[in-house]
Amino acid sequence: MSTLTPKDPTYVTDSLIAEDIDAYLVKHQHKTMLRFITCGSVDDGKSTLIGRLLYDSKMIFEDQLASLENDSKSHGTQGAGIDFALLVDGLAAEREQGITIDVAYRFFATDKRKFIVADTPGHEQYTRNMVTGASTADLAVILIDARQGVLTQTRRHSYLVNLLGIKNIVLAVNKMDLVGYSAERFYEIVKEYSQFAQKIGMKSFLPMPISGLAGDNIVTKSENMPWYQGPTLLGHLEDAPINVTQMADEPFRMAVQWVNRPNLDFRGFAGQIGSGSIAPGDAIRVLPSGKTTTVKSIVTYTGNLDLAVAGQSITLTFADEVDCSRGDVITASDAPCEVADQFEATLVWMDEAEMLPGRPYLLKIGTQTMTATVTEPKYEVNVNTLEHLSSQTLGLNAIGVVNISTDRAIPFESYAQNPDLGGFILIDRMTNATVAAGMVHFALRRSQNIHWQALDVDRTAHAAIKTQKPKVVWFTGLSGSGKSTIANIVEKKLHAMGKHTFLLDGDNVRHGLNRDLGFTDADRVENIRRVGEVAKLMTDAGLIVLTAFISPFRAERRMVREMMHEGEFMEVYVNTPLAVAEERDVKGLYKKARAGNLKNFTGIDSPYEAPEAPEITVNTVELTAEEAAEQVIAALLAS
């Protein structure tokens, strides 16, 4: 067997190869890892820069180089020359368009350090992909085309990089070869960018003139720009601090990922240390319960440790039997983090469907997942002017400040202090799509000052005196389906039986409680949220509550169901075809909607999501209102 090695480009023995490989692996194992992103506007040269870094750091195999040369001829933009961007732009659509769509991750290493670089897209519609790449980065390289200067996406990406807490920022003014390596042009761009950076609170950045295509100041100092005395890009990447080392000096925090119970004699709590350090004998506190104990041992696959620090994955055992489970956070006993259920936060909305205030979403923070609702934005941020705009919702790529309420108190820290315990995502409960990324600012004071008051006469006592089981009978269906008519007959019959009831009708509620709401999707969500809260209070009073609302969205009907106690919510789908409901048109609303005089009308220009598994379905084409009411009462009394 023969090969070439860095030591001796001649024939060597297998044993020498093995020695070289072993030595290399040992050295490689102890290198630090820097994660960084490249971002900026379209065609600023992000992919080309990464391709040049890979090429100049000799991280391209011979077959990859041959493939690159062939691809450059068929897909490249550099004529007969190598198009380095093709090393990163792996998607066929990207190669055809010459742009980056998805986040492309690449690994490379030098003698000093290992790197994972995320090449993020420049187009505004792919801003969500950029946020994904930046969420785990230690450093950001923000590229600017020297010919174009500071653009809208430069500002947007810079705002997001700063928002996400990336402190080490390189402003790479690229394509200097196309402006004659002009120092005047470089300093003009740096001055303009500095003014914007100061406005968004960016504390520092390193300006650097480069040419990704020509290789100027990438790995070696450029002879074309003797006026620049700073480091090369690779030199700076090799020496830049990383987040893990910065978090080592913070108080101890570890989110529990799972309870390690291989047998009856061992119970440990596994996770990755987010900040600080821990040793056997250290006093710790488990949140949100607040229980305290001390660390008995630190267990890893390779054996027990005397000390563990930020970034390490470990299993802790406790000296005492303390309840602890997935989602809990183990902290230093004398420096715990906060616990709350209401927060102010910044949201970056990443879904085509706009945010609906009041709609329940799944919130994932650390190792916890829970239900959360979002308020109407306090304001939306214009990233160009940094102006605070009034807004009722957030659309794709919008950035806004909101209040968030969770269904239980959770341990947290501000994102600026600890990204692991302050960063979160929102997930749509119906589609399971990630719709937003968020950064916690602080807990709302009311979350600390408002507590449940114990009452001597509880809901059980209220129901007992009425000799009935509390219930919410939720009628849903299109306008004109017969919901109100059937609900009214049901209440009359129940009243005649001596039952204690109350009917909440959609139109009646909008004359008082919800008179400030319109018929946009966001207002419809808030309309149902309020009605759900009122219905819940009425069940606490022991009543049978009947509601007649179109309630077009499954998510909100599910939200109300989850507000109630088990078995106390009955969904009644009044199933009437649109054509039949429109033919009835008792209130003339369909006619107005068809004429364009009534916007956001369910069934015409606003959707209705039919129930998937209602307790009762009544067909008003086949049944009279009286027959439908009897069917509902029979099911209610049998439940």
Side-chain angles (χ1 to χ4, degrees):
M1 175 180 178
S2 62
T3 186
L4 298 180
T5 73
K7 289 185 176 180
D8 181 16
T10 57
Y11 180 84
V12 293
T13 65
D14 287 352
S15 61
L16 183 55
I17 294 172
E19 291 175 6
D20 287 344
I21 291 174
D22 288 343
Y24 172 78
L25 290 176
V26 170
K27 180 180 178 182
H28 191 70
Q29 183 180 1
H30 293 91
K31 291 178 185 176
T32 58
M33 171 79 78
L34 177 78
R35 297 175 179 268
F36 71 98
I37 64 165
T38 57
C39 54
S41 194
V42 177
D43 292 330
D44 280 349
K46 298 179 292 298
S47 298
T48 299
L49 172 63
I50 296 174
R52 170 61 78 171
L53 268 175
L54 295 172
Y55 183 83
D56 286 354
S57 60
K58 298 179 173 54
M59 289 301 295
I60 305 175
F61 296 110
E62 288 186 8
D63 58 337
Q64 290 177 312
L65 182 58
S67 177
L68 176 62
E69 291 172 347
N70 290 331
D71 288 345
S72 295
K73 294 176 183 178
S74 57
H75 299 292
T77 60
Q78 303 303 319
I82 294 177
D83 187 348
F84 295 106
L86 296 180
L87 281 171
V88 183
D89 289 342
L91 298 178
E94 293 178 353
R95 293 193 172 197
E96 291 167 1
Q97 299 178 50
I99 62 171
T100 300
I101 296 174
D102 204 355
V103 180
Y105 293 93
R106 290 295 183 270
F107 171 87
F108 69 100
T110 65
D111 288 340
K112 295 181 67 174
R113 177 174 271 177
K114 296 178 288 186
F115 302 92
I116 293 179
V117 54
D119 179 28
T120 62
H123 276 72
E124 181 178 351
Q125 62 264 43
Y126 302 117
T127 299
R128 53 191 167 185
N129 302 53
M130 178 266 170
V131 173
T132 301
S135 63
T136 57
D138 303 292
L139 179 148
V141 179
I142 300 174
L143 275 85
I144 292 180
D145 187 328
R147 300 167 302 169
Q148 303 295 329
V150 180
L151 301 176
T152 297
Q153 277 299 84
T154 313
R155 295 186 180 92
R156 181 183 297 276
H157 284 188
S158 298
Y159 185 91
L160 289 169
V161 161
N162 190 61
L163 185 66
L164 289 166
I166 301 177
K167 305 301 181 186
N168 201 326
I169 298 168
V170 176
L171 181 70
V173 182
N174 193 23
K175 304 185 182 182
M176 289 297 295
D177 53 315
L178 299 183
V179 294
Y181 297 105
S182 168
E184 182 180 355
R185 177 56 178 160
F186 172 72
Y187 289 121
E188 179 183 334
I189 291 173
V190 171
K191 181 180 179 181
E192 181 183 0
Y193 187 84
S194 297
Q195 293 171 347
F196 177 77
Q198 186 175 9
K199 291 179 181 178
I200 63 175
M202 186 182 292
K203 294 182 179 179
S204 64
F205 64 89
L206 173 64
M208 185 181 296
I210 65 169
S211 171
L213 184 63
D216 293 286
N217 288 332
I218 305 300
V219 175
T220 58
K221 297 279 287 185
S222 172
E223 296 180 357
N224 297 309
M225 292 178 281
W227 44 267
Y228 172 70
Q229 300 300 313
T232 62
L233 179 59
L234 185 60
H236 180 67
L237 294 176
E238 289 182 324
D239 296 331
I242 58 177
N243 291 341
V244 171
T245 56
Q246 293 173 334
M247 295 302 292
D249 295 329
E250 298 296 321
F252 177 73
R253 306 280 187 263
M254 189 184 86
V256 177
Q257 294 180 340
W258 68 294
V259 178
N260 188 353
R261 194 75 187 273
N263 55 60
L264 294 176
D265 299 322
F266 184 89
R267 184 166 178 259
F269 307 95
Q272 185 179 62
I273 301 176
S275 65
S277 60
I278 195 75
D282 285 355
I284 56 95
R285 186 182 301 268
V286 178
L287 297 175
S289 69
K291 300 293 185 181
T292 59
T293 183
T294 58
V295 174
K296 181 180 178 182
S297 62
I298 304 172
V299 182
T300 69
Y301 179 76
T302 56
N304 289 7
L305 302 178
D306 294 327
L307 180 71
V309 298
Q312 288 184 279
S313 294
I314 61 171
T315 295
L316 294 179
T317 65
F318 297 161
D320 306 297
E321 285 293 332
V322 172
D323 184 32
C324 184
S325 58
R326 176 178 169 82
D328 288 348
V329 177
I330 303 172
T331 73
S333 180
D334 59 351
C337 53
E338 292 185 73
V339 176
D341 60 1
Q342 296 183 60
F343 317 90
E344 181 187 271
T346 294
L347 276 189
V348 181
W349 196 255
M350 303 192 298
D351 196 52
E352 298 283 353
E354 67 180 16
M355 182 194 83
L356 295 179
R359 166 166 287 186
Y361 296 96
L362 292 179
L363 183 148
K364 183 173 176 59
I365 182 170
T367 56
Q368 302 179 82
T369 302
M370 73 231 37
T371 300
T373 56
V374 185
T375 65
E376 183 177 296
K378 292 182 175 181
Y379 58 83
E380 183 179 335
V381 179
N382 182 321
V383 295
N384 288 314
T385 64
L386 302 182
E387 181 184 3
H388 291 181
L389 307 175
S390 175
S391 178
Q392 292 186 329
T393 184
L394 296 175
L396 179 63
N397 296 326
I399 303 168
V401 173
V402 300
N403 289 343
I404 290 183
S405 298
T406 55
D407 62 2
R408 61 181 181 272
I410 58 173
F412 79 98
E413 288 188 305
S414 70
Y415 183 86
Q417 185 176 356
N418 188 330
D420 288 338
L421 294 180
F424 63 89
I425 59 172
L426 292 181
I427 302 169
D428 187 283
R429 292 164 36 134
M430 301 299 294
T431 65
N432 211 34
T434 298
V435 296
M439 285 69 65
V440 172
H441 297 169
F442 50 79
L444 302 182
R445 287 185 61 189
R446 60 176 174 263
S447 70
Q448 307 292 336
N449 299 334
I450 300 176
H451 307 279
W452 280 105
Q453 176 64 45
L455 302 175
D456 293 330
V457 181
D458 60 12
R459 67 193 320 274
T460 303
H462 284 298
I465 201 171
K466 296 177 178 65
T467 63
Q468 63 184 34
K469 181 180 178 181
K471 203 83 170 183
V472 171
V473 184
W474 191 277
F475 293 85
T476 177
L478 293 170
S479 176
S481 62
K483 301 181 301 298
S484 295
T485 302
I486 297 170
N488 190 49
I489 295 172
V490 169
E491 186 178 35
K492 283 175 26 180
K493 290 178 177 293
L494 290 174
H495 184 72
M497 297 176 188
K499 300 297 183 182
H500 297 261
T501 64
F502 195 89
L503 173 58
L504 293 168
D505 183 79
D507 284 353
N508 294 350
V509 167
R510 283 186 178 273
H511 281 88
L513 176 66
N514 293 344
R515 68 183 303 173
D516 59 320
L517 299 177
F519 292 90
T520 64
D521 286 354
D523 282 349
R524 289 179 186 276
V525 170
E526 176 61 11
N527 181 50
I528 298 306
R529 188 195 70 79
R530 292 183 190 178
V531 170
E533 294 288 356
V534 171
K536 182 176 183 296
L537 290 173
M538 287 184 167
T539 59
D540 287 344
L543 297 176
I544 296 173
V545 186
L546 310 172
T547 72
F549 292 82
I550 295 174
S551 50
F553 303 128
R554 297 189 189 105
E556 278 60 65
R557 298 196 297 267
R558 179 178 175 181
M559 171 184 67
V560 178
R561 181 187 292 273
E562 292 177 353
M563 288 181 185
M564 307 305 163
H565 288 243
E566 184 70 28
E568 291 186 4
F569 184 88
M570 177 181 290
E571 187 174 33
V572 180
Y573 176 31
V574 183
N575 185 4
T576 303
L578 175 62
V580 175
E582 189 169 358
E583 184 180 345
R584 295 172 181 169
D585 203 14
V586 179
K587 303 173 185 176
L589 300 178
Y590 282 100
K591 185 177 180 180
K592 289 182 181 179
R594 290 294 186 188
N597 298 323
L598 187 59
K599 299 298 182 183
N600 301 313
F601 190 75
T602 303
I604 305 301
D605 58 350
S606 186
Y608 177 78
E609 299 172 358
E612 295 178 324
E615 279 75 13
I616 306 171
T617 298
V618 294
N619 189 322
T620 58
V621 176
E622 300 173 354
L623 300 174
T624 66
E626 191 80 20
E627 291 169 335
E630 289 291 350
Q631 184 176 332
V632 172
I633 291 172
L636 176 63
L637 296 178
S639 63

